[in-house]
Amino acid sequence: MLYLACWTCLLALLTALGGCSQRHYRLEADREVHELIDEKSYDPRWAIDCFSIEMNPHSRYHDDYDPDRPPMPPDDPAAHEYMHCVDCKKGWPHWHRNGDRYELENPNWRSGLAQYAPLNEKGEVVLDVDTALKLAYMHSPDYQRQLETLYLSALDVSTERFRLDTQFFGGSDVNYTHNGSLIPARLIYDTNLNRYVVRPPTEGNEQNRLTVGRTSSSSPSLQARRRFATAGELIVGFANSFVWEFTGGDANLTSSIGSFSLVQPLLRNAGRHIALEQLTIVERVLLGNVRAFERYRHGFYTRVAIGELGVSGPSRRGGFLGGTGLTGFSGTGSGGLGGVGAATGFGRTGLGTSGGAGAGGAGFAGGGAGTVGGYLGLLQQLQQIRNTQDSLNLQLRTLNLLEAYLDAGVIDLVQVDQFRQNIETERATLLQDQNSLLLTQDNFVMGTLGLPPDLPVALDDELTKQFQLVAPQGTALQTRIANFQEELGNLPDEPNVGELQDLLQRIEPLLPQFEERFIAIEQDLTRMQNLMQQREQTLEDAPRRRVQRESQLLVDSLAEVRQRFQSAAPRLDQLQTGLTPENRRQTTSDLVIWLGEQYRLAGEAILIQARARLEAIVVEPVQLDAETAFQTALANRLDIMNSRASLVDSWRLIAYNANALKSRVDVVMDGNILTDRNNPLSFQARTATVRAGLQFDAPFTRLLERNNYRQALIDYQQDRRSFIQNLDSVHRDMRQLLRRLDELRVNLEIQRRAVAISIRRVDLTQEELNKPVPPPAPGQAAAQLGPTAALNLLTALSDLRNTQNNFMSVWLNYYATRMQLMRELGLMQVDEQGRWIDTPLSPDELPAPEELAPPPAVPIEWMDEAFWETGEEPAAPRNQDTAARPAALELPVRNDRPEQESSAKILPVVATYVPSKPDVPPEMPPHDAGGQLSPLPRRRSTLSETTPDPLPAKPLHPALQPAALRLLDPADRR
């Protein structure tokens, strides 16, 4: 029997030592966190589906190793020595038990790119907004950090719930005791001799005792603890022991003891507002973090698209002092955690970073709106480079003409060299712009997408194709004509008939290419006319008539150019069929004239198409006034909901700290019951002991508590003012965003007109240069071009490039600002992949404002209790009738509901309360002997006093009571 009991105890001990596996605990934490987040995702506006912090297997940062037993990452060799030997002491030998790893990132992430990202034939990732967003969600460390912060916030809730749950503890001890039979010599007092003597060694009883279990109620074998919502705590324990004595014949004894202890505070540290405060905080913070994460997804899209986050993500309330939950909660300071986190502003009210400034930057000369960031910024820089390249190509083609004029003596060398110098400067600028684009692209790939900068990417410019006013097909046609002109100019004065015939045959395919260009231009004109109605809605009468007139002029111009082409096309067939050795010189001259005319027709067609594309670029109008925008933001923005909740958290700490001013009165009770026989269950009532008492601690010393209470009052007032200012900031941002949109809309029309003027200037200067030079009279020098002919073209080309860039920058900034407006209104919608669902903004379709209760005031009894406990003011009898109190001054709250729903009430609003001195009636000021008013006793004024001539009630601050919000009646009116 003895051996069976020993083996049973040993087996139980070994089983308990192992415990559950690390994987079990990790999966249990994941399961509980998922349940908590699902619990808080009850509203579709911030619901999170399928929450997980596990990274996608294709992610660069995915870790294939066992998360519970990760191998050792690469270590610094010199520092690694201290893990094996430190201060000449041998280190732990099992550091490499899980193995070693040599690569920190996922080695297979590059090979898996083709499975979720489009690649071109060069192996480059083709980036558009959707692809960039998909890559960012999969690889961005910032996004993963937000998920993990939300996870840790849920762990805080789990910890605080556990504090108020029933907690079980258990354990057992095994002790063996041996006492020898010989009692050593010792000093004893001999009463007969009246002195100390040495007692020689004596024989005693040998003891060999094995004890299994615990024998003390202070350290029981099984224990259950429970903290109640009323701040009480109950502890129930059971201790059991088995004792075997092996000396002098085997003997054994089995005994048990049951115990309990109950502590229930009555004043200080008592009440649900004390016991549940930490749990209340973390539950509300988790709800706020779920909302903050949804708003972060909106900001994450704007960061990818336009390079502006503009929001703050989830933030933990716990974990500052290590572990999870509100460890170190004191009820004072930032978030109730003292000074911890104060440097970062943690725990204070706030609406995060503001996006009201709009996407900006240094603009181009001429009234541009600057550059945007993110993916659109890459497209903007790419299109600017293309505009520069188009300008450079046109200058190179014009240089050939100027050099021919220089050989003919119709232009001076200074103008040609000036043109050449400008071309070299343009090449250097183009090279710098290309390098700047590559750097911006590397920063985008690394900083936003979380990928290495050497990832080969290609930009999908579908969004900015509308700004390619000069179609590549048109410039290619004009370049082919210029090449034919150059080839024809290289022929001898008496060209070979075969060479000339071959050239005519190769020129013939130009005719169908012209027809293709005319069809493409007609399509652009049709698109322009279809979009003209949308543009006309935002224009006044005079600009509208001008736009209509110019659009019709473009249609007529295309018809005129096409008619000229159709008249000149048969001439090519005539030159080809009529070519003979006798007229080859004349044919060559006629072909030069024909090609020159076709070159001009191609240029005119290019300009018509550029004007058509220019007029077809429109923006989505926003018809919204600032006040409606502000009310919409108040009703829909998730960060404002969180900020309002944070203010109430600060307000609750007033009651929490006021409680510490009270006396301490605790009801305590404990007891135990023992077994009376050698039986673990033979409990007898006569062995029981019960103790009950009342512990009292007078409030003689409350200086620290007083200071903490005063700090809580100040913190609340600071947070209240900060909340009001934050709402003012939201109102300002709404006004600024709408002003910005209106400015950009008007500026877009200005820049459109500037581009049209620049196109006309380029057309006129080119026409002036291409005009045939009359032959000089006999003995006379050739007629000279104007002294500024080349400079005029350079200036026109430079202004065309700048106005194109300005026009594009204004449109992109309008698009970015409108995106920001939707986010700041709280109306941005993103799908499951995080993509923006762009819907038109109409005041008639705005969501109805939600009903919001007014911000709470400090309850009267909190203030009364605080002053009654500290003895600052004479206390009125607590049992006096309610009517004996001075009548409360009721402030009317404006309730701007529609007339058909009018049910306006006077809602009492208590702003502050301090008990007044009952011996001085407020309506009868005391007089001195001379009849003059005596100064009233120094005391704080209250809103609960009546005044003989009260001032007219002043409406609440509009930021705290927006006109479009319906206020709920407070549940407890005072």
Side-chain angles (χ1 to χ4, degrees):
M1 185 66 182
L2 172 64
Y3 294 106
L4 179 61
C6 292
W7 282 110
T8 302
C9 293
L10 182 61
L11 181 62
L13 178 62
L14 293 176
T15 303
L17 287 176
C20 297
S21 65
Q22 298 173 217
R23 181 176 182 274
H24 169 79
Y25 288 119
R26 174 173 55 83
L27 295 180
E28 278 294 306
D30 291 347
R31 179 190 59 79
E32 188 168 1
V33 165
H34 295 164
E35 291 175 355
L36 287 171
I37 292 180
D38 288 342
E39 176 186 318
K40 297 299 186 292
S41 300
Y42 56 84
D43 194 302
R45 290 175 295 176
W46 58 76
I48 300 177
D49 298 325
C50 303
F51 174 81
S52 175
I53 61 172
E54 300 296 328
M55 302 204 72
N56 191 293
H58 296 296
S59 173
R60 179 192 180 193
Y61 302 97
H62 174 70
D63 195 347
D64 278 331
Y65 293 100
D66 184 355
D68 301 307
R69 291 178 174 83
M72 178 183 290
D75 193 9
D76 175 66
H80 188 71
E81 295 296 329
Y82 291 101
M83 296 177 62
H84 297 284
C85 182
V86 56
D87 193 24
C88 299
K89 298 176 179 62
K90 186 177 180 181
W92 192 51
H94 305 295
W95 288 119
H96 300 272
R97 180 172 56 188
N98 297 333
D100 299 273
R101 65 185 306 171
Y102 302 99
E103 290 185 358
L104 295 180
E105 65 179 27
N106 182 4
N108 303 318
W109 73 270
R110 287 183 184 268
S111 59
L113 275 174
Q115 301 183 28
Y116 57 89
L119 304 179
N120 58 17
E121 62 279 0
K122 297 180 181 179
E124 298 172 329
V125 178
V126 181
L127 277 186
D128 57 9
V129 174
D130 292 343
T131 303
L133 190 66
K134 183 185 299 183
L135 291 173
Y137 270 110
M138 187 172 296
H139 301 282
S140 172
D142 291 338
Y143 180 76
Q144 181 66 20
R145 188 177 299 110
Q146 305 304 318
L147 288 172
E148 292 165 350
T149 301
L150 183 58
Y151 185 100
L152 294 175
S153 180
L155 286 185
D156 293 336
V157 175
S158 174
T159 299
E160 294 301 329
R161 286 187 178 183
F162 173 73
R163 296 186 196 276
L164 294 172
D165 200 359
T166 303
Q167 305 173 13
F168 296 94
F169 304 91
S172 183
D173 300 335
V174 178
N175 297 301
Y176 176 79
T177 305
H178 168 75
N179 290 328
S181 61
L182 182 63
I183 301 174
R186 59 189 185 278
L187 285 174
I188 64 171
Y189 186 79
D190 192 336
T191 56
N192 296 324
L193 300 177
N194 289 328
R195 63 184 177 88
Y196 284 94
V197 296
V198 175
R199 183 175 181 177
T202 58
E203 283 292 331
N205 296 323
E206 182 180 354
Q207 187 182 56
N208 292 281
R209 182 171 296 178
L210 175 65
T211 303
V212 178
R214 295 177 178 177
T215 60
S216 172
S217 61
S218 61
S219 179
S221 302
L222 295 175
Q223 187 182 77
R225 296 182 180 179
R226 179 63 184 263
R227 295 178 62 184
F228 301 107
T230 58
E233 183 176 17
L234 174 65
I235 301 176
V236 178
F238 174 79
N240 177 260
S241 65
F242 298 87
V243 181
W244 287 272
E245 178 59 48
F246 305 108
T247 305
D250 293 345
N252 62 78
L253 174 65
T254 303
S255 62
S256 302
I257 179 173
S259 62
F260 78 96
S261 175
L262 173 65
V263 178
Q264 176 61 60
L266 299 181
L267 291 179
R268 186 176 182 179
N269 297 329
R272 295 177 179 271
H273 64 299
I274 301 297
L276 300 180
E277 179 60 25
Q278 293 181 220
L279 178 61
T280 303
I281 288 176
V282 294
E283 293 275 4
R284 289 164 63 93
V285 168
L286 179 58
L287 173 62
N289 281 337
V290 171
R291 290 171 174 169
F293 180 74
E294 178 62 23
R295 181 161 167 80
Y296 177 83
R297 293 181 70 228
H298 301 166
F300 194 70
Y301 179 86
T302 58
R303 179 184 178 186
V304 173
I306 61 177
E308 193 261 349
L309 183 63
V311 300
S312 57
S315 61
R316 288 185 68 190
R317 193 69 170 261
F320 278 113
L321 299 179
T324 58
L326 292 188
T327 304
F329 182 81
S330 62
T332 60
S334 298
L337 293 167
V340 182
T344 60
F346 174 82
R348 319 299 291 187
T349 58
L351 301 180
T353 54
S354 173
F364 297 98
T371 57
V372 297
Y375 179 75
L376 293 186
L378 296 177
L379 296 185
Q380 182 179 7
Q381 293 187 46
L382 178 63
Q383 186 57 40
Q384 289 172 355
I385 290 175
R386 286 174 176 169
N387 292 341
T388 303
Q389 185 67 60
D390 291 340
S391 178
L392 179 60
N393 292 338
L394 184 56
Q395 292 181 45
L396 290 173
R397 291 195 300 268
T398 306
L399 179 60
N400 295 331
L401 179 62
L402 294 181
E403 289 176 342
Y405 284 161
L406 179 63
D407 295 338
V410 298
I411 193 171
D412 59 273
L413 180 61
V414 174
Q415 294 194 63
V416 177
D417 282 346
Q418 185 180 21
F419 211 88
R420 291 168 176 165
Q421 184 177 8
N422 191 80
I423 288 177
E424 300 306 323
T425 302
E426 198 81 353
R427 283 173 172 165
T429 302
L430 181 62
L431 185 62
Q432 293 174 355
D433 292 343
Q434 291 171 341
N435 185 56
S436 177
L437 173 61
L438 292 177
L439 177 60
T440 306
Q441 179 176 293
D442 290 347
N443 292 334
F444 177 78
V445 171
M446 183 180 65
T448 303
L449 305 186
L451 295 173
D454 62 345
L455 179 72
V457 298
L459 301 179
D460 183 353
D461 59 347
E462 186 65 30
L463 183 63
T464 56
K465 275 186 178 180
Q466 58 181 331
F467 299 104
Q468 297 178 15
L469 304 182
V470 178
Q473 297 83 354
T475 56
L477 176 60
Q478 199 173 32
T479 300
R480 282 192 289 271
I481 297 175
N483 292 336
F484 285 135
Q485 287 178 319
E486 183 178 1
E487 185 177 352
L488 183 61
N490 293 331
L491 294 178
D493 295 339
E494 297 290 337
N496 184 278
V497 175
E499 294 178 350
L500 197 57
Q501 187 68 35
D502 177 69
L503 180 60
L504 287 170
Q505 291 177 356
R506 287 188 286 114
I507 291 176
E508 188 175 3
L510 292 176
L511 300 181
Q513 294 176 12
F514 264 100
E515 288 296 337
E516 292 176 0
R517 297 310 310 139
F518 289 142
I519 294 175
I521 296 173
E522 285 179 346
Q523 293 175 351
D524 287 336
L525 287 173
T526 302
R527 179 172 177 271
M528 176 197 70
Q529 291 174 338
N530 293 336
L531 294 174
M532 195 62 66
Q533 183 177 2
Q534 180 178 345
R535 276 189 61 199
E536 292 175 354
Q537 294 177 356
T538 62
L539 297 177
E540 298 180 356
D541 292 340
R544 185 184 303 113
R545 289 193 297 269
R546 177 181 58 80
V547 168
Q548 294 172 349
R549 183 173 61 254
E550 291 182 352
S551 63
Q552 184 60 42
L553 181 61
L554 289 177
V555 175
D556 297 341
S557 298
L558 177 62
E560 189 265 340
V561 169
R562 194 167 193 174
Q563 182 180 5
R564 286 163 53 196
F565 168 76
Q566 292 172 350
S567 301
R571 180 62 179 159
L572 180 63
D573 183 63
Q574 295 173 5
L575 292 176
Q576 191 172 1
T577 56
L579 176 62
T580 61
E582 291 76 16
N583 66 353
R584 56 185 177 177
R585 188 181 184 91
Q586 183 61 38
T587 300
T588 302
S589 178
D590 292 343
L591 184 58
V592 169
I593 297 174
W594 188 87
L595 286 175
E597 184 178 354
Q598 300 309 306
Y599 185 87
R600 289 189 292 273
L601 288 177
E604 292 179 23
I606 288 175
L607 297 178
I608 293 174
Q609 186 178 30
R611 284 296 308 276
R613 291 186 173 185
L614 176 67
E615 300 295 337
I617 297 175
V618 297
V619 293
E620 186 71 35
V622 175
Q623 300 176 353
L624 190 65
D625 62 274
E627 186 61 29
T628 302
F630 178 51
Q631 305 300 336
T632 303
L634 288 179
N636 294 280
R637 275 182 53 167
L638 301 180
D639 59 333
I640 294 181
M641 300 178 191
N642 289 345
S643 185
R644 186 180 293 113
S646 180
L647 176 62
V648 176
D649 288 341
S650 178
W651 172 80
R652 285 201 321 275
L653 290 181
I654 298 176
Y656 187 90
N657 286 277
N659 177 268
L661 300 172
K662 298 179 179 180
S663 301
R664 180 170 183 174
V665 180
D666 298 344
V667 174
V668 295
M669 181 178 296
D670 63 84
N672 55 60
I673 185 171
L674 307 174
T675 56
D676 63 339
R677 300 189 304 275
N678 190 9
N679 187 323
L681 300 177
S682 60
F683 291 102
Q684 288 290 335
R686 289 179 295 173
T687 65
T689 301
V690 177
R691 293 171 295 275
L694 190 67
Q695 296 179 351
F696 173 72
D697 180 16
F700 294 140
T701 304
R702 290 292 185 266
L703 186 140
L704 296 180
E705 291 80 358
R706 179 204 66 185
N707 292 347
N708 292 339
Y709 171 72
R710 194 67 183 98
Q711 179 180 345
L713 291 175
I714 293 174
D715 288 343
Y716 169 67
Q717 295 300 331
Q718 289 178 345
D719 291 344
R720 185 179 63 86
R721 293 191 298 268
S722 177
F723 178 71
I724 295 173
Q725 288 185 321
N726 286 333
L727 294 183
D728 289 343
S729 298
V730 172
H731 200 176
R732 178 204 60 197
D733 292 343
M734 292 299 104
R735 292 164 60 87
Q736 172 61 15
L737 284 170
L738 292 174
R739 286 195 297 258
R740 173 80 170 164
L741 284 174
D742 189 61
E743 169 204 335
L744 293 171
R745 180 183 58 79
V746 176
N747 195 12
L748 187 70
E749 297 300 324
I750 295 174
Q751 297 303 321
R752 193 195 308 273
R753 185 63 179 166
V755 175
I757 294 173
S758 298
I759 291 174
R760 184 167 63 246
R761 287 177 56 199
V762 172
D763 183 26
L764 294 175
T765 52
Q766 281 188 309
E767 183 179 357
E768 187 67 24
L769 286 176
N770 291 325
K771 189 180 298 183
V773 180
Q780 299 291 329
Q784 291 282 324
L785 294 175
T788 60
L791 180 61
N792 291 341
L793 180 58
L794 287 178
T795 305
L797 290 175
S798 177
D799 289 345
L800 176 60
R801 179 195 60 202
N802 290 339
T803 52
Q804 282 182 284
N805 292 339
N806 290 342
F807 180 73
M808 177 180 60
S809 72
V810 172
W811 189 91
L812 289 176
N813 274 273
Y814 185 94
Y815 181 79
T817 305
R818 180 173 167 271
M819 187 186 302
Q820 289 174 334
L821 177 65
M822 296 295 292
R823 185 193 67 205
E824 297 307 309
L825 286 172
L827 301 180
M828 174 175 275
Q829 301 179 27
V830 294
D831 60 14
E832 294 180 355
Q833 286 75 38
R835 297 172 298 188
W836 179 30
I837 304 175
D838 189 2
T839 55
L841 183 62
S842 173
D844 299 333
E845 300 175 359
L846 293 178
E850 62 175 340
E851 295 183 339
L852 300 173
V858 180
I860 298 175
E861 51 268 23
W862 294 3
M863 306 292 291
D864 287 350
E865 291 174 1
F867 283 105
W868 284 325
E869 290 292 338
T870 56
E872 291 194 15
E873 297 287 351
R878 299 300 294 172
N879 58 355
Q880 65 181 4
D881 185 70
T882 306
R885 285 185 178 269
L889 176 61
E890 295 182 337
L891 300 181
V893 177
R894 185 181 59 199
N895 194 345
D896 296 333
R897 297 182 179 178
E899 293 183 0
Q900 61 270 22
E901 301 179 4
S902 178
S903 59
K905 300 179 181 179
I906 300 299
L907 304 181
V909 177
V910 180
T912 314
Y913 176 81
V914 176
S916 59
K917 294 184 181 292
D919 56 341
V920 182
E923 66 274 12
M924 295 295 295
H927 292 68
D928 58 14
Q932 300 296 324
L933 285 174
S934 301
L936 289 173
R938 296 186 61 183
R939 61 185 179 85
R940 299 175 179 84
S941 60
T942 75
L943 288 184
S944 61
E945 300 173 352
T946 57
T947 57
D949 187 15
L951 295 175
K954 189 176 181 180
L956 292 181
H957 191 284
L960 286 177
Q961 182 180 327
L965 298 181
R966 297 188 293 274
L967 296 180
L968 296 176
D969 295 350
D972 185 13
R973 303 178 188 171
R974 296 184 178 88

